[in-house]
Amino acid sequence: MAAHDPDAPRERGTAAPTVASRLFRILDAFSAQRPAMTLSSISRHSGLALTTTHRLVGELARWGALERDAAGHYRIGLRLHELAALAPRGMFLREIAMPFLGDLYEATHQNVQLGVLDGTEVVYVERLSGRGAVPVASRPGGRLPLHATGVGLVLLAHADGDFQEEVLRAPLKRFTDRTISSADRLRRVLADVRRDGYVISDRQIELSTLSVAAPVRDHTDTVVASLSIVVPAAEVDPMTLVPAVRAAARGISRALGSATPLAGRNPKTG
């Protein structure tokens, strides 16, 4: 029996994939786990026939979206990085936030992160990290679930109610035995975040780390990002970091035009 060609014409009544959709499938095949791939690997992970992959990868490489090394592996090219720099929600926010992220890093020499909401995940637009900082799972441009991260919990707590219910109804992935995995507990934590103005996410992604996060607001007082610091869980009292994290988040918010002070009361661990 002949192998099925994923690029072959579809059955009547179903739309054939467009050239654009095939290009996106090629780009989407790359990830943090697969930053460099051969043509055959791109074909396999994109679900496109090898002949189609060869033609489209060539076009992407000529345009600069992909780059080919001496060993024949392809990587994301600088042209895409140039375009990504034009994204206002990420890069403009990053430019405003960098002085405050830098100050918080200099005061702690730990991981300082800035994240925004994208779908049901948090996307990290910046991370500052020193050689002595605890290793973390996040990276600039990387994604993690909202319920299992400090920045994600802040963003989810201030999201639209219908969106919150969508997340609460979905399975909550467990990373450690400390990960929030029940809708009832997540609902309580989100209420605490809105009341207290920050959250402590304790060993949810890795048992070696915890984070303290606070919201960043824009000129309409909408929460548009979240700032966090990630520290060794066994070595640092997170309560000592809350004032500095909240002050940095407040500074970014004011730079974005927000006039609303962060909510505040005695902290509670989430």
Side-chain angles (χ1 to χ4, degrees), residues 34-189:
R34 298 188 301 271
M37 290 188 287
T38 62
L39 272 175
S40 60
S41 182
I42 296 172
S43 172
R44 184 170 64 255
H45 288 288
S46 66
L48 298 174
L50 185 58
T51 54
T52 301
T53 302
H54 182 272
R55 174 171 56 84
L56 295 180
V57 164
E59 292 184 19
L60 288 169
R62 285 190 292 274
W63 186 75
L66 295 178
E67 296 177 354
R68 185 176 184 271
D69 63 22
H73 292 80
Y74 289 87
R75 298 175 181 272
I76 296 297
L78 289 177
R79 189 71 178 271
L80 288 185
H81 289 283
E82 293 174 7
L83 291 178
L86 301 177
R89 193 157 63 105
M91 300 310 295
F92 172 75
L93 177 64
R94 177 185 176 277
E95 290 178 4
I96 295 294
M98 278 302 293
F100 303 95
L101 299 178
D103 288 347
L104 186 58
Y105 168 76
E106 289 299 330
T108 62
H109 291 281
Q110 292 293 344
N111 302 283
V112 177
Q113 306 179 133
L114 186 70
V116 297
L117 181 68
D118 188 47
T120 57
E121 298 173 306
V122 56
V123 174
Y124 293 88
V125 298
E126 185 56 87
R127 190 190 83 194
L128 301 181
S129 181
R131 287 181 298 175
V134 63
V136 295
S138 61
R139 61 178 179 82
R143 296 169 176 267
L144 285 173
L146 295 172
H147 71 280
T149 62
V151 284
L153 288 170
V154 168
L155 294 168
L156 182 57
H158 294 280
D160 176 80
D162 291 340
F163 175 75
Q164 289 183 15
E165 291 303 317
E166 176 186 341
V167 174
L168 287 162
R169 286 193 301 267
L172 301 174
K173 180 179 178 180
R174 292 190 65 137
F175 294 86
T176 73
D177 59 3
R178 307 277 301 193
T179 306
I180 299 172
S181 57
S182 77
D184 288 342
R185 184 184 171 206
L186 180 55
R187 200 183 302 275
R188 291 193 298 271
V189 170

Side-chain angles (χ1 to χ4, degrees), residues 248-265:
R250 183 185 295 112
I252 300 171
S253 298
R254 287 176 175 167
L256 291 173
S258 173
T260 298
L262 296 176
R265 53 171 295 164

